[in-house]
Amino acid sequence: MATRMAEKGRQLATKVLIFQTLVALIVALVLTFFLGEKAGISAIYGGIICVVPGLVFARFAFKYTGASQNELVVRSFSQGSKFKLIATILLFVGAFHWLNAVPLPLFGSYVLTMVTQWVALFVLRNND
């Protein structure tokens, strides 16, 4: 039972991450077309800053399953949350320090990709 529930969670997380990636790519293409290459690249970075830490968190979140491993599940969620926060901060710092990203496209893409997570969860949960 726990394994089946965990598998459904993994599948949902995978679908959400794919949906977020697609939105980030679409935003980047639109911004590239209307605002130029530098804005499009900055938008890609914004999407990456949202998706990559989410991917790593999902790996931590579904590392353990079952009531008998509840301490490991909680610890794994905690570690995943911490890593996600640290990775997000480091990726933002890197985007501005080394990549000279344009702030508005970067933050705009990040926010749209983040909001996509909530929309995707709502849509996908109602389709099951």
Side-chain angles (χ1 to χ4, degrees), residues 53-72:
L55 175 66
V56 174
F57 173 77
R59 297 291 290 168
F60 274 97
F62 297 106
K63 190 173 182 178
Y64 303 103
T65 60
S68 64
Q69 297 184 4
N70 63 349
E71 285 184 35
L72 293 174

Side-chain angles (χ1 to χ4, degrees), residues 47-115:
I48 288 170
I49 292 169
C50 184
V51 172
V52 170
L55 175 66
V56 174
F57 173 77
R59 297 291 290 168
F60 274 97
F62 297 106
K63 190 173 182 178
Y64 303 103
T65 60
S68 64
Q69 297 184 4
N70 63 349
E71 285 184 35
L72 293 174
V73 170
V74 170
R75 186 178 307 138
S76 186
F77 261 75
S78 176
Q79 289 171 341
S81 295
K82 290 172 190 171
F83 183 83
K84 182 177 179 179
L85 178 62
I86 291 167
T88 301
I89 292 168
L90 291 175
L91 288 169
F92 268 119
V93 168
F96 288 115
H97 184 71
W98 291 295
L99 305 173
N100 297 320
V102 181
L104 192 57
L106 180 113
F107 285 121
S109 177
Y110 176 80
V111 168
L112 283 172
T113 305
M114 182 65 68
V115 169

Side-chain angles (χ1 to χ4, degrees), residues 18 31 54 59 99 121 124 127:
I18 290 169
L31 289 179
R59 297 291 290 168
L99 305 173
L121 284 172
L124 293 171
N127 286 340

